[in-house]
């Protein structure tokens, strides 16, 4: 019985870890503006994730694209 419980806990741990988001860099977000807009909106609406690498990179790309649009 203890082995089954341990196996169940280990399975839940692995499932939780597999839900991690793939890290994207600023250049990827620059090349994928739709994904950048979605991620930037998500980051603005959820302060808990605002300090994650994907949020920082999406917001950086968003800012850069906004500046480029102003000068083009």
């Amino acid at each position: 019985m203890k082995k089954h419980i341990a196996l169940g806990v280990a399975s839940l741990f692995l499932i939780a870890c597999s839900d991690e988001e793939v890290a994207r860099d600023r250049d990827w977000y620059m090349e994928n503006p739709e994904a950048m807009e979605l991620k930037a909106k998500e980051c603005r609406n959820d302060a808990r994730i605002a300090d994650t690498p994907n949020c920082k990179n999406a917001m950086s790309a968003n800012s850069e694209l906004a500046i480029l649009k102003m000068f083009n």
Side-chain angles (χ1 to χ4, degrees):
M1 180 69 166
K2 289 181 182 179
K3 289 181 182 180
H4 292 285
I5 292 172
L7 183 58
V9 170
S11 297
L12 289 175
F13 180 74
L14 290 174
I15 291 169
C17 290
S18 68
D19 288 340
E20 279 189 36
E21 186 176 35
V22 174
R24 307 284 188 194
D25 62 11
R26 185 189 57 81
D27 291 334
W28 186 88
Y29 282 111
M30 293 285 291
E31 295 169 2
N32 297 278
E34 290 176 1
M36 178 205 58
E37 289 291 334
L38 288 173
K39 178 51 78 175
K41 182 178 180 181
E42 179 184 357
C43 296
R44 285 191 295 270
N45 291 330
D46 190 349
R48 295 173 295 169
I49 63 169
D51 200 32
T52 62
N54 277 339
C55 281
K56 289 179 180 180
N57 291 334
M59 297 300 285
S60 175
N62 194 18
S63 297
E64 186 169 339
L65 284 178
I67 291 170
L68 290 172
K69 285 180 184 178
M70 286 185 348
F71 292 104
N72 285 332

